[in-house]
Amino acid sequence: MFEGRGYQLEIAPAFHWSLKTDILAHTARAAACQILGEQVLPSKGTLDNDSAFAATSFPIAHVRAAFPALNRPPGFVFFDNAAGAQIPQIVLDAVNHHLLECNVQRGGRYAKSQEVDATIVRARKSVADLVNARDPSEIAFGMNATSFIRMVSLAIGQALGARNEIVLTDMDHEANVATWLILERFGAKFSWWKMREDGLLHAGDLVPLLSSRTRLVACTLASNAIGSIVDVAAAAEVTHRAGAEIFLDAVHYAPHGLIDVRAFDCDYLACSGYKIFAPHMGFLWGRRELLQSLPTFREDFIPDEPPGKIEAGTFIYENVAGMDAAVRYLEELGKLLSPGDIAVSRRAALQHALTAIQKYEQSLTLGMLEVLNRCGATVYGITDKGRVHHRVPTLCFNVPKIPPAKVTEKLASANIGVRDGHMYAPRLMKRLGLSTNSGAVRASLVHYNTPDEVREFGATLDEIKRSC
Ligand SMILES: Cc1ncc(COP(=O)(O)O)c(C=O)c1O
């Protein structure tokens, strides 16, 4: 028996997520969809407009059962996913397996070491599939996204020449701003691609900022503060027309939508595993020819070839094993959602999973907008219900006359985890007219959050408003 918040259901052991369980067998899948299809119906809600939670065929009960941390008492509504998500059992198992069975250095001639080598090769292929890279050698593993952005900025800073202008946005996380601003000491000049009042960055506004002096545009795929999605393919097109390169920060977007470096036509992309259901680690994708020419630090005996030339020292193998399993988690979810298609490719399965996630998350966004609107909160960014496809379920708001820290403290005492502050996007806070000291409250949801949790959040917020 799985007891979620606000709902209870039976899950047959066969439907628990497990490496060993062949849930993807066609008949099992069909049965699972049927069973889960009944289970996913949201419980009767108290929202004014329950259509906000239009029942999708998203297997939410199955998803939640896959994440052990979500099922441990006491009940807890976790709406701080933008700071790091929970991990499914399949990822725990992979990390555990690595530490128990092959916690050794790679590159040895003995079996355990060879297993580490094999894990890294497999993980590189998995992440290459996740981002649609042309080749696994375009994927580098490391500590986190920030250190990769800095590594590329250091390399680019050494070779600015006459193309010394860098375009930054006022919407980005500071990790994709400060890492470039530091190139001022190498003669870099900066211009700012600004968000419009509609909460979006428009590629048309980028055009006048570009010239034959532009070296690079650095922008996010989605705002970690207000959730807006950026049309990065359009940005890449105008950037390339000017002969410049585009560096994408995929950290906030990755758990919410499909990454496709070929469709985006970007040049570099950095991401963090811990935002996408893996442990703490980061990865970088770059066009192979660019990575090849990038000057990086490496010891003499490391060939000047990606990915080795970008991975100085030892990275955390168990977390890379976890990242590989996180891709498998998404793949298996996609296969579960691919009716009748037993031979679906991994990339197609990932596409199914992330398309379904996006759709389900849009219903969560609608629910969040509704409860925030009902309690009179000021929501920053896209609030128009007809435009929810331009955002992810990351809601930044303030409740009139109640400081953000007080709202999050009160929510915390009701076992609801959200965050307050500048969200590491101080320029965006200023742009929104907010103090960078107090900022705003951010509730950030992912696909394992539920309509019931949204209702509970809304009811608690109403109560806070009444009592303050
Ligand atoms: C949009 C965005 N970019 C970059 C980062 C930094 O990522 P990391 O902690 O992997 O360096 C974060 C972290 O929250 C983020 O949300």
Side-chain angles (χ1 to χ4, degrees):
M1 173 76 78
F2 164 61
E3 293 184 42
R5 281 199 147 192
Y7 55 91
Q8 275 195 340
L9 47 96
E10 292 279 353
I11 299 175
F15 296 120
H16 279 283
W17 217 283
S18 147
L19 275 172
K20 298 184 196 87
T21 305
D22 187 14
I23 188 145
L24 303 176
H26 177 65
T27 48
R29 184 171 56 229
C33 286
Q34 214 176 12
I35 292 166
L36 296 168
E38 284 170 18
Q39 291 169 341
V40 295
L41 289 177
S43 61
K44 283 212 165 28
T46 54
L47 292 172
D48 297 343
N49 178 8
D50 237 8
S51 68
F53 293 141
T56 66
S57 54
F58 194 70
I60 182 61
H62 184 96
V63 163
R64 285 188 71 85
F67 286 81
L70 301 178
N71 302 308
R72 295 172 78 79
F76 182 64
V77 174
F78 186 54
F79 280 3
D80 192 23
N81 293 285
Q86 300 303 313
I87 61 178
Q89 183 68 50
I90 190 174
V91 171
L92 281 169
D93 289 345
V95 173
N96 211 19
H97 174 86
H98 181 94
L99 291 172
L100 269 174
E101 303 296 339
C102 54
N103 188 24
V104 300
Q105 184 55 283
R106 65 171 155 170
R109 295 187 198 281
Y110 52 98
K112 284 179 186 291
S113 181
Q114 285 165 356
E115 190 177 340
V116 179
D117 290 336
T119 300
I120 295 168
V121 168
R122 198 172 55 243
R124 245 187 254 291
K125 173 84 179 81
S126 294
V127 175
D129 288 340
L130 179 71
V131 304
N132 204 22
R134 289 171 191 86
D135 192 89
S137 67
E138 294 181 323
I139 305 294
F141 293 126
M143 281 301 289
N144 52 44
T146 309
S147 53
F148 273 128
I149 306 173
R150 180 62 183 130
M151 197 215 73
V152 176
S153 97
L154 258 177
I156 284 180
Q158 291 172 45
L160 281 173
R163 273 196 184 265
N164 65 342
E165 291 185 7
I166 294 175
V167 182
L168 304 170
T169 87
D170 62 356
M171 190 196 265
D172 269 76
H173 187 289
E174 200 60 10
N176 199 26
V177 176
T179 40
W180 300 106
L181 286 177
I182 196 146
L183 298 188
E184 193 174 8
R185 65 179 66 157
F186 297 120
K189 306 257 184 281
F190 303 94
S191 49
W192 293 90
W193 181 17
K194 293 192 177 147
M195 181 185 82
R196 280 200 205 162
E197 291 303 309
D198 65 1
L200 291 172
L201 287 166
H202 290 256
D205 298 343
L206 180 56
V207 177
L209 305 175
L210 300 168
S211 74
S212 56
R213 291 185 307 282
T214 312
R215 176 71 175 83
L216 182 120
V217 173
C219 81
T220 192
L221 267 157
S223 162
N224 67 301
I226 58 172
S228 307
I229 295 173
V230 181
D231 183 353
V232 291
E237 195 188 330
V238 296
T239 302
H240 288 152
R241 237 188 276 146
E245 291 165 1
I246 186 161
F247 188 109
L248 299 183
D249 174 350
V251 175
H252 191 65
Y253 182 77
H256 306 293
L258 190 71
I259 295 176
D260 188 336
V261 294
R262 290 190 237 181
F264 299 162
D265 196 25
C266 51
D267 298 294
Y268 300 97
L269 178 143
C271 195
S272 326
Y274 70 100
K275 306 290 171 86
I276 185 162
F277 321 116
H280 285 88
M281 55 82 70
F283 61 86
L284 175 79
W285 167 88
R287 278 183 204 276
R288 196 177 155 80
E289 62 275 19
L290 294 179
L291 296 180
Q292 252 158 345
S293 61
L294 213 60
T296 58
F297 167 77
R298 64 187 169 84
E299 295 97 332
D300 286 343
F301 46 80
I302 303 286
D304 193 13
E305 283 292 322
K309 66 178 284 189
I310 307 157
E311 294 174 337
T314 301
F315 50 81
I316 304 173
Y317 303 142
E318 60 270 31
N319 291 356
V320 166
M323 184 65 225
D324 172 47
V327 176
R328 240 168 321 131
Y329 160 74
L330 290 169
E331 177 188 358
E332 291 188 12
L333 177 60
K335 287 184 173 171
L336 182 74
L337 293 162
S338 313
D341 191 357
I342 208 166
V344 64
S345 72
R346 171 155 43 181
R347 180 67 190 167
L350 291 168
Q351 192 163 3
H352 280 303
L354 286 150
T355 304
I357 283 173
Q358 214 159 25
K359 204 168 155 203
Y360 173 71
E361 288 185 355
Q362 281 170 12
S363 72
L364 294 177
T365 301
L366 288 172
M368 287 295 285
L369 287 171
E370 198 162 312
V371 298
L372 288 166
N373 187 35
R374 190 183 61 207
C375 90
T378 304
V379 179
Y380 305 101
I382 297 165
T383 52
D384 176 356
K385 290 184 179 180
R387 291 170 64 231
V388 284
H389 54 286
H390 287 300
R391 58 143 51 249
V392 298
T394 301
L395 285 295
C396 200
F397 64 93
N398 271 314
V399 181
K401 302 199 188 87
I402 313 181
K406 185 151 189 186
V407 174
T408 57
E409 272 164 21
K410 293 266 180 196
L411 285 166
S413 50
N415 278 333
I416 298 175
V418 298
R419 187 166 290 269
D420 63 276
H422 54 57
M423 308 307 146
Y424 307 91
R427 290 157 218 278
L428 179 58
M429 293 296 132
K430 278 191 202 139
R431 176 68 204 282
L432 296 169
L434 298 170
S435 139
T436 49
N437 287 332
S438 51
V441 183
R442 180 185 68 187
S444 53
L445 285 64
V446 292
H447 71 290
Y448 50 60
N449 291 121
T450 69
D452 277 343
E453 290 181 317
V454 174
R455 290 186 188 96
E456 186 171 339
F457 166 81
T460 311
L461 209 55
D462 286 341
E463 184 50 39
I464 292 169
K465 217 183 144 204
R466 265 195 301 275
S467 66
C468 285

